[in-house]
PDB file of all heavy atoms in Angstrom:
ATOM      1  N   LEU A 404       7.339 -11.643 -26.267  1.00 92.00           N
ATOM      2  CA  LEU A 404       6.071 -12.031 -26.728  1.00 92.00           C
ATOM      3  C   LEU A 404       5.029 -11.042 -26.238  1.00 92.00           C
ATOM      4  O   LEU A 404       5.356 -10.240 -25.292  1.00 92.00           O
ATOM      5  CB  LEU A 404       5.677 -13.421 -26.284  1.00 92.00           C
ATOM      6  CG  LEU A 404       5.770 -13.812 -24.806  1.00 92.00           C
ATOM      7  CD1 LEU A 404       4.498 -13.474 -24.109  1.00 92.00           C
ATOM      8  CD2 LEU A 404       6.067 -15.350 -24.619  1.00 92.00           C
ATOM      9  N   TYR A 405       3.795 -11.106 -26.725  1.00 93.00           N
ATOM     10  CA  TYR A 405       2.702 -10.212 -26.275  1.00 93.00           C
ATOM     11  C   TYR A 405       1.543 -11.137 -25.858  1.00 93.00           C
ATOM     12  O   TYR A 405       1.403 -12.259 -26.390  1.00 93.00           O
ATOM     13  CB  TYR A 405       2.262  -9.262 -27.423  1.00 93.00           C
ATOM     14  CG  TYR A 405       3.065  -8.043 -27.475  1.00 93.00           C
ATOM     15  CD1 TYR A 405       4.365  -8.018 -28.015  1.00 93.00           C
ATOM     16  CD2 TYR A 405       2.473  -6.826 -27.055  1.00 93.00           C
ATOM     17  CE1 TYR A 405       5.129  -6.834 -28.016  1.00 93.00           C
ATOM     18  CE2 TYR A 405       3.263  -5.632 -27.085  1.00 93.00           C
ATOM     19  CZ  TYR A 405       4.566  -5.659 -27.534  1.00 93.00           C
ATOM     20  OH  TYR A 405       5.308  -4.497 -27.606  1.00 93.00           O
ATOM     21  N   TYR A 406       0.723 -10.644 -24.981  1.00 93.00           N
ATOM     22  CA  TYR A 406      -0.483 -11.421 -24.581  1.00 93.00           C
ATOM     23  C   TYR A 406      -1.743 -10.493 -24.685  1.00 93.00           C
ATOM     24  O   TYR A 406      -1.575  -9.254 -24.652  1.00 93.00           O
ATOM     25  CB  TYR A 406      -0.280 -11.961 -23.188  1.00 93.00           C
ATOM     26  CG  TYR A 406      -0.108 -10.988 -22.108  1.00 93.00           C
ATOM     27  CD1 TYR A 406      -1.181 -10.425 -21.362  1.00 93.00           C
ATOM     28  CD2 TYR A 406       1.121 -10.555 -21.721  1.00 93.00           C
ATOM     29  CE1 TYR A 406      -1.112  -9.543 -20.305  1.00 93.00           C
ATOM     30  CE2 TYR A 406       1.338  -9.578 -20.763  1.00 93.00           C
ATOM     31  CZ  TYR A 406       0.166  -9.083 -20.046  1.00 93.00           C
ATOM     32  OH  TYR A 406       0.343  -8.160 -19.045  1.00 93.00           O
ATOM     33  N   SER A 407      -2.874 -11.117 -24.766  1.00 93.00           N
ATOM     34  CA  SER A 407      -4.109 -10.351 -24.943  1.00 93.00           C
ATOM     35  C   SER A 407      -5.294 -11.138 -24.424  1.00 93.00           C
ATOM     36  O   SER A 407      -5.261 -12.303 -24.279  1.00 93.00           O
ATOM     37  CB  SER A 407      -4.307 -10.055 -26.424  1.00 93.00           C
ATOM     38  OG  SER A 407      -5.601  -9.432 -26.626  1.00 93.00           O
ATOM     39  N   PHE A 408      -6.286 -10.356 -23.969  1.00 91.00           N
ATOM     40  CA  PHE A 408      -7.546 -11.021 -23.555  1.00 91.00           C
ATOM     41  C   PHE A 408      -8.539 -11.250 -24.736  1.00 91.00           C
ATOM     42  O   PHE A 408      -9.399 -12.023 -24.652  1.00 91.00           O
ATOM     43  CB  PHE A 408      -8.246 -10.096 -22.442  1.00 91.00           C
ATOM     44  CG  PHE A 408      -7.380  -9.850 -21.326  1.00 91.00           C
ATOM     45  CD1 PHE A 408      -7.066  -8.549 -21.007  1.00 91.00           C
ATOM     46  CD2 PHE A 408      -7.067 -10.878 -20.461  1.00 91.00           C
ATOM     47  CE1 PHE A 408      -6.278  -8.262 -19.850  1.00 91.00           C
ATOM     48  CE2 PHE A 408      -6.241 -10.545 -19.327  1.00 91.00           C
ATOM     49  CZ  PHE A 408      -5.887  -9.259 -19.092  1.00 91.00           C
ATOM     50  N   ASN A 409      -8.249 -10.436 -25.792  1.00 89.00           N
ATOM     51  CA  ASN A 409      -9.261 -10.551 -26.945  1.00 89.00           C
ATOM     52  C   ASN A 409      -8.630 -10.596 -28.303  1.00 89.00           C
ATOM     53  O   ASN A 409      -9.181 -10.148 -29.273  1.00 89.00           O
ATOM     54  CB  ASN A 409     -10.202  -9.279 -26.799  1.00 89.00           C
ATOM     55  CG  ASN A 409      -9.386  -7.992 -26.747  1.00 89.00           C
ATOM     56  OD1 ASN A 409      -8.214  -8.011 -26.995  1.00 89.00           O
ATOM     57  ND2 ASN A 409     -10.090  -6.881 -26.489  1.00 89.00           N
ATOM     58  N   ASP A 410      -7.326 -11.039 -28.308  1.00 87.00           N
ATOM     59  CA  ASP A 410      -6.632 -11.142 -29.547  1.00 87.00           C
ATOM     60  C   ASP A 410      -6.303  -9.828 -30.202  1.00 87.00           C
ATOM     61  O   ASP A 410      -5.975  -9.716 -31.423  1.00 87.00           O
ATOM     62  CB  ASP A 410      -7.316 -12.066 -30.609  1.00 87.00           C
ATOM     63  CG  ASP A 410      -7.313 -13.542 -30.180  1.00 87.00           C
ATOM     64  OD1 ASP A 410      -6.558 -13.913 -29.319  1.00 87.00           O
ATOM     65  OD2 ASP A 410      -8.207 -14.268 -30.628  1.00 87.00           O
ATOM     66  N   ASP A 411      -6.298  -8.746 -29.388  1.00 87.00           N
ATOM     67  CA  ASP A 411      -5.794  -7.451 -29.818  1.00 87.00           C
ATOM     68  C   ASP A 411      -4.403  -7.198 -29.213  1.00 87.00           C
ATOM     69  O   ASP A 411      -4.369  -6.960 -28.067  1.00 87.00           O
ATOM     70  CB  ASP A 411      -6.795  -6.299 -29.467  1.00 87.00           C
ATOM     71  CG  ASP A 411      -6.259  -4.985 -29.938  1.00 87.00           C
ATOM     72  OD1 ASP A 411      -5.153  -4.913 -30.602  1.00 87.00           O
ATOM     73  OD2 ASP A 411      -6.980  -3.964 -29.729  1.00 87.00           O
ATOM     74  N   PHE A 412      -3.416  -7.314 -30.039  1.00 85.00           N
ATOM     75  CA  PHE A 412      -2.020  -7.274 -29.563  1.00 85.00           C
ATOM     76  C   PHE A 412      -1.376  -5.922 -29.655  1.00 85.00           C
ATOM     77  O   PHE A 412      -0.154  -5.779 -29.506  1.00 85.00           O
ATOM     78  CB  PHE A 412      -1.189  -8.365 -30.138  1.00 85.00           C
ATOM     79  CG  PHE A 412      -1.631  -9.746 -29.839  1.00 85.00           C
ATOM     80  CD1 PHE A 412      -2.509 -10.425 -30.712  1.00 85.00           C
ATOM     81  CD2 PHE A 412      -1.251 -10.443 -28.674  1.00 85.00           C
ATOM     82  CE1 PHE A 412      -2.938 -11.718 -30.435  1.00 85.00           C
ATOM     83  CE2 PHE A 412      -1.706 -11.679 -28.375  1.00 85.00           C
ATOM     84  CZ  PHE A 412      -2.536 -12.337 -29.249  1.00 85.00           C
ATOM     85  N   SER A 413      -2.140  -4.860 -29.990  1.00 83.00           N
ATOM     86  CA  SER A 413      -1.598  -3.571 -30.106  1.00 83.00           C
ATOM     87  C   SER A 413      -1.190  -3.047 -28.717  1.00 83.00           C
ATOM     88  O   SER A 413      -1.714  -3.519 -27.701  1.00 83.00           O
ATOM     89  CB  SER A 413      -2.539  -2.601 -30.816  1.00 83.00           C
ATOM     90  OG  SER A 413      -3.794  -2.587 -30.034  1.00 83.00           O
ATOM     91  N   LYS A 414      -0.355  -2.060 -28.704  1.00 78.00           N
ATOM     92  CA  LYS A 414       0.109  -1.475 -27.415  1.00 78.00           C
ATOM     93  C   LYS A 414      -1.002  -0.978 -26.552  1.00 78.00           C
ATOM     94  O   LYS A 414      -1.955  -0.300 -27.167  1.00 78.00           O
ATOM     95  CB  LYS A 414       1.171  -0.420 -27.691  1.00 78.00           C
ATOM     96  CG  LYS A 414       2.564  -0.949 -28.255  1.00 78.00           C
ATOM     97  CD  LYS A 414       3.565   0.097 -28.344  1.00 78.00           C
ATOM     98  CE  LYS A 414       4.883  -0.409 -28.854  1.00 78.00           C
ATOM     99  NZ  LYS A 414       5.969   0.558 -28.951  1.00 78.00           N
ATOM    100  N   LYS A 415      -0.904  -1.207 -25.312  1.00 77.00           N
ATOM    101  CA  LYS A 415      -1.893  -0.730 -24.325  1.00 77.00           C
ATOM    102  C   LYS A 415      -3.365  -1.335 -24.476  1.00 77.00           C
ATOM    103  O   LYS A 415      -4.280  -0.838 -23.927  1.00 77.00           O
ATOM    104  CB  LYS A 415      -2.051   0.819 -24.368  1.00 77.00           C
ATOM    105  CG  LYS A 415      -0.733   1.550 -23.998  1.00 77.00           C
ATOM    106  CD  LYS A 415      -0.314   1.358 -22.580  1.00 77.00           C
ATOM    107  CE  LYS A 415       0.928   2.186 -22.276  1.00 77.00           C
ATOM    108  NZ  LYS A 415       1.370   2.001 -20.832  1.00 77.00           N
ATOM    109  N   SER A 416      -3.351  -2.412 -25.304  1.00 80.00           N
ATOM    110  CA  SER A 416      -4.741  -2.989 -25.597  1.00 80.00           C
ATOM    111  C   SER A 416      -5.243  -3.710 -24.386  1.00 80.00           C
ATOM    112  O   SER A 416      -6.467  -3.943 -24.314  1.00 80.00           O
ATOM    113  CB  SER A 416      -4.615  -3.935 -26.786  1.00 80.00           C
ATOM    114  OG  SER A 416      -3.764  -5.029 -26.507  1.00 80.00           O
ATOM    115  N   ASN A 417      -4.451  -3.994 -23.380  1.00 85.00           N
ATOM    116  CA  ASN A 417      -4.915  -4.706 -22.203  1.00 85.00           C
ATOM    117  C   ASN A 417      -5.393  -3.740 -21.170  1.00 85.00           C
ATOM    118  O   ASN A 417      -5.691  -4.183 -20.007  1.00 85.00           O
ATOM    119  CB  ASN A 417      -3.864  -5.590 -21.608  1.00 85.00           C
ATOM    120  CG  ASN A 417      -3.735  -6.893 -22.419  1.00 85.00           C
ATOM    121  OD1 ASN A 417      -4.574  -7.218 -23.258  1.00 85.00           O
ATOM    122  ND2 ASN A 417      -2.705  -7.703 -22.097  1.00 85.00           N
ATOM    123  N   ARG A 418      -5.497  -2.477 -21.401  1.00 93.00           N
ATOM    124  CA  ARG A 418      -6.034  -1.516 -20.388  1.00 93.00           C
ATOM    125  C   ARG A 418      -7.473  -1.888 -20.029  1.00 93.00           C
ATOM    126  O   ARG A 418      -8.312  -2.033 -20.889  1.00 93.00           O
ATOM    127  CB  ARG A 418      -5.982  -0.100 -20.967  1.00 93.00           C
ATOM    128  CG  ARG A 418      -6.334   0.949 -19.979  1.00 93.00           C
ATOM    129  CD  ARG A 418      -6.091   2.351 -20.557  1.00 93.00           C
ATOM    130  NE  ARG A 418      -4.612   2.664 -20.491  1.00 93.00           N
ATOM    131  CZ  ARG A 418      -3.973   3.439 -21.461  1.00 93.00           C
ATOM    132  NH1 ARG A 418      -4.753   3.833 -22.461  1.00 93.00           N
ATOM    133  NH2 ARG A 418      -2.750   3.694 -21.345  1.00 93.00           N
ATOM    134  N   LEU A 419      -7.664  -2.232 -18.788  1.00 95.00           N
ATOM    135  CA  LEU A 419      -9.015  -2.682 -18.298  1.00 95.00           C
ATOM    136  C   LEU A 419      -9.888  -1.510 -17.842  1.00 95.00           C
ATOM    137  O   LEU A 419      -9.396  -0.590 -17.151  1.00 95.00           O
ATOM    138  CB  LEU A 419      -8.835  -3.671 -17.155  1.00 95.00           C
ATOM    139  CG  LEU A 419      -7.969  -4.907 -17.476  1.00 95.00           C
ATOM    140  CD1 LEU A 419      -7.692  -5.747 -16.226  1.00 95.00           C
ATOM    141  CD2 LEU A 419      -8.585  -5.724 -18.536  1.00 95.00           C
ATOM    142  N   THR A 420     -11.050  -1.521 -18.234  1.00 96.00           N
ATOM    143  CA  THR A 420     -12.050  -0.487 -17.715  1.00 96.00           C
ATOM    144  C   THR A 420     -12.942  -1.097 -16.656  1.00 96.00           C
ATOM    145  O   THR A 420     -13.575  -2.171 -16.985  1.00 96.00           O
ATOM    146  CB  THR A 420     -12.915   0.077 -18.949  1.00 96.00           C
ATOM    147  OG1 THR A 420     -12.097   0.579 -19.956  1.00 96.00           O
ATOM    148  CG2 THR A 420     -13.942   1.105 -18.396  1.00 96.00           C
ATOM    149  N   PRO A 421     -12.979  -0.500 -15.540  1.00 97.00           N
ATOM    150  CA  PRO A 421     -13.813  -1.168 -14.439  1.00 97.00           C
ATOM    151  C   PRO A 421     -15.225  -1.158 -14.763  1.00 97.00           C
ATOM    152  O   PRO A 421     -15.785  -0.331 -15.519  1.00 97.00           O
ATOM    153  CB  PRO A 421     -13.477  -0.168 -13.248  1.00 97.00           C
ATOM    154  CG  PRO A 421     -12.298   0.573 -13.631  1.00 97.00           C
ATOM    155  CD  PRO A 421     -12.321   0.710 -15.094  1.00 97.00           C
ATOM    156  N   ASP A 422     -15.965  -2.099 -14.157  1.00 97.00           N
ATOM    157  CA  ASP A 422     -17.421  -2.194 -14.321  1.00 97.00           C
ATOM    158  C   ASP A 422     -18.070  -0.984 -13.496  1.00 97.00           C
ATOM    159  O   ASP A 422     -19.090  -0.468 -13.937  1.00 97.00           O
ATOM    160  CB  ASP A 422     -17.944  -3.539 -13.699  1.00 97.00           C
ATOM    161  CG  ASP A 422     -17.374  -4.663 -14.442  1.00 97.00           C
ATOM    162  OD1 ASP A 422     -17.721  -4.923 -15.597  1.00 97.00           O
ATOM    163  OD2 ASP A 422     -16.443  -5.431 -13.836  1.00 97.00           O
ATOM    164  N   TYR A 423     -17.377  -0.559 -12.481  1.00 98.00           N
ATOM    165  CA  TYR A 423     -17.846   0.576 -11.766  1.00 98.00           C
ATOM    166  C   TYR A 423     -16.631   1.553 -11.613  1.00 98.00           C
ATOM    167  O   TYR A 423     -15.684   1.199 -10.861  1.00 98.00           O
ATOM    168  CB  TYR A 423     -18.389   0.237 -10.346  1.00 98.00           C
ATOM    169  CG  TYR A 423     -19.670  -0.538 -10.364  1.00 98.00           C
ATOM    170  CD1 TYR A 423     -19.598  -1.991 -10.513  1.00 98.00           C
ATOM    171  CD2 TYR A 423     -20.886   0.038 -10.321  1.00 98.00           C
ATOM    172  CE1 TYR A 423     -20.787  -2.718 -10.533  1.00 98.00           C
ATOM    173  CE2 TYR A 423     -22.078  -0.619 -10.406  1.00 98.00           C
ATOM    174  CZ  TYR A 423     -22.007  -2.017 -10.472  1.00 98.00           C
ATOM    175  OH  TYR A 423     -23.163  -2.744 -10.537  1.00 98.00           O
ATOM    176  N   THR A 424     -16.683   2.691 -12.280  1.00 97.00           N
ATOM    177  CA  THR A 424     -15.536   3.597 -12.144  1.00 97.00           C
ATOM    178  C   THR A 424     -15.774   4.505 -10.949  1.00 97.00           C
ATOM    179  O   THR A 424     -16.791   5.126 -10.803  1.00 97.00           O
ATOM    180  CB  THR A 424     -15.466   4.474 -13.438  1.00 97.00           C
ATOM    181  OG1 THR A 424     -15.156   3.641 -14.562  1.00 97.00           O
ATOM    182  CG2 THR A 424     -14.287   5.528 -13.248  1.00 97.00           C
ATOM    183  N   VAL A 425     -14.767   4.509 -10.022  1.00 97.00           N
ATOM    184  CA  VAL A 425     -14.803   5.336  -8.812  1.00 97.00           C
ATOM    185  C   VAL A 425     -13.473   6.063  -8.711  1.00 97.00           C
ATOM    186  O   VAL A 425     -12.423   5.461  -8.593  1.00 97.00           O
ATOM    187  CB  VAL A 425     -15.053   4.494  -7.588  1.00 97.00           C
ATOM    188  CG1 VAL A 425     -15.123   5.387  -6.372  1.00 97.00           C
ATOM    189  CG2 VAL A 425     -16.265   3.671  -7.675  1.00 97.00           C
ATOM    190  N   LYS A 426     -13.497   7.363  -8.814  1.00 95.00           N
ATOM    191  CA  LYS A 426     -12.258   8.157  -8.727  1.00 95.00           C
ATOM    192  C   LYS A 426     -11.889   8.299  -7.241  1.00 95.00           C
ATOM    193  O   LYS A 426     -12.699   8.357  -6.375  1.00 95.00           O
ATOM    194  CB  LYS A 426     -12.487   9.529  -9.361  1.00 95.00           C
ATOM    195  CG  LYS A 426     -12.802   9.469 -10.791  1.00 95.00           C
ATOM    196  CD  LYS A 426     -11.624   9.013 -11.656  1.00 95.00           C
ATOM    197  CE  LYS A 426     -11.896   9.112 -13.193  1.00 95.00           C
ATOM    198  NZ  LYS A 426     -10.811   8.701 -13.957  1.00 95.00           N
ATOM    199  N   LEU A 427     -10.595   8.415  -7.001  1.00 93.00           N
ATOM    200  CA  LEU A 427     -10.053   8.591  -5.657  1.00 93.00           C
ATOM    201  C   LEU A 427      -9.145   9.798  -5.702  1.00 93.00           C
ATOM    202  O   LEU A 427      -8.086   9.705  -6.391  1.00 93.00           O
ATOM    203  CB  LEU A 427      -9.360   7.301  -5.100  1.00 93.00           C
ATOM    204  CG  LEU A 427      -9.137   7.273  -3.674  1.00 93.00           C
ATOM    205  CD1 LEU A 427     -10.481   7.284  -2.845  1.00 93.00           C
ATOM    206  CD2 LEU A 427      -8.298   6.051  -3.258  1.00 93.00           C
ATOM    207  N   ARG A 428      -9.455  10.894  -5.051  1.00 92.00           N
ATOM    208  CA  ARG A 428      -8.638  11.989  -5.029  1.00 92.00           C
ATOM    209  C   ARG A 428      -7.496  11.961  -4.004  1.00 92.00           C
ATOM    210  O   ARG A 428      -7.740  11.246  -3.038  1.00 92.00           O
ATOM    211  CB  ARG A 428      -9.435  13.311  -4.779  1.00 92.00           C
ATOM    212  CG  ARG A 428     -10.603  13.554  -5.738  1.00 92.00           C
ATOM    213  CD  ARG A 428     -11.499  14.630  -5.234  1.00 92.00           C
ATOM    214  NE  ARG A 428     -11.988  14.352  -3.867  1.00 92.00           N
ATOM    215  CZ  ARG A 428     -12.592  15.296  -3.135  1.00 92.00           C
ATOM    216  NH1 ARG A 428     -12.716  16.547  -3.506  1.00 92.00           N
ATOM    217  NH2 ARG A 428     -13.133  14.934  -1.923  1.00 92.00           N
ATOM    218  N   PRO A 429      -6.389  12.647  -4.257  1.00 90.00           N
ATOM    219  CA  PRO A 429      -5.298  12.596  -3.190  1.00 90.00           C
ATOM    220  C   PRO A 429      -5.794  13.093  -1.820  1.00 90.00           C
ATOM    221  O   PRO A 429      -5.311  12.535  -0.839  1.00 90.00           O
ATOM    222  CB  PRO A 429      -4.212  13.631  -3.820  1.00 90.00           C
ATOM    223  CG  PRO A 429      -4.526  13.536  -5.276  1.00 90.00           C
ATOM    224  CD  PRO A 429      -5.973  13.331  -5.460  1.00 90.00           C
ATOM    225  N   ILE A 430      -6.675  14.019  -1.807  1.00 92.00           N
ATOM    226  CA  ILE A 430      -7.180  14.443  -0.573  1.00 92.00           C
ATOM    227  C   ILE A 430      -7.955  13.410   0.155  1.00 92.00           C
ATOM    228  O   ILE A 430      -8.038  13.371   1.487  1.00 92.00           O
ATOM    229  CB  ILE A 430      -8.122  15.813  -0.689  1.00 92.00           C
ATOM    230  CG1 ILE A 430      -8.374  16.392   0.615  1.00 92.00           C
ATOM    231  CG2 ILE A 430      -9.366  15.400  -1.426  1.00 92.00           C
ATOM    232  CD1 ILE A 430      -7.152  17.028   1.274  1.00 92.00           C
ATOM    233  N   ASP A 431      -8.652  12.463  -0.546  1.00 91.00           N
ATOM    234  CA  ASP A 431      -9.318  11.359   0.088  1.00 91.00           C
ATOM    235  C   ASP A 431      -8.321  10.427   0.760  1.00 91.00           C
ATOM    236  O   ASP A 431      -8.581   9.952   1.837  1.00 91.00           O
ATOM    237  CB  ASP A 431     -10.143  10.602  -0.945  1.00 91.00           C
ATOM    238  CG  ASP A 431     -11.194  11.460  -1.637  1.00 91.00           C
ATOM    239  OD1 ASP A 431     -11.781  12.215  -0.908  1.00 91.00           O
ATOM    240  OD2 ASP A 431     -11.555  11.184  -2.816  1.00 91.00           O
TER     241      ASP A 431
END
Side-chain angles (χ1 to χ4, degrees):
L404 57 87
Y405 275 74
Y406 63 92
S407 172
F408 302 117
N409 55 11
D410 291 339
D411 178 1
F412 296 95
S413 57
K414 290 184 177 181
K415 299 293 185 181
S416 61
N417 279 353
R418 186 173 282 147
L419 303 174
T420 300
D422 299 290
Y423 293 88
T424 297
V425 180
K426 299 289 184 180
L427 197 64
R428 302 172 301 168
I430 191 67
D431 296 326

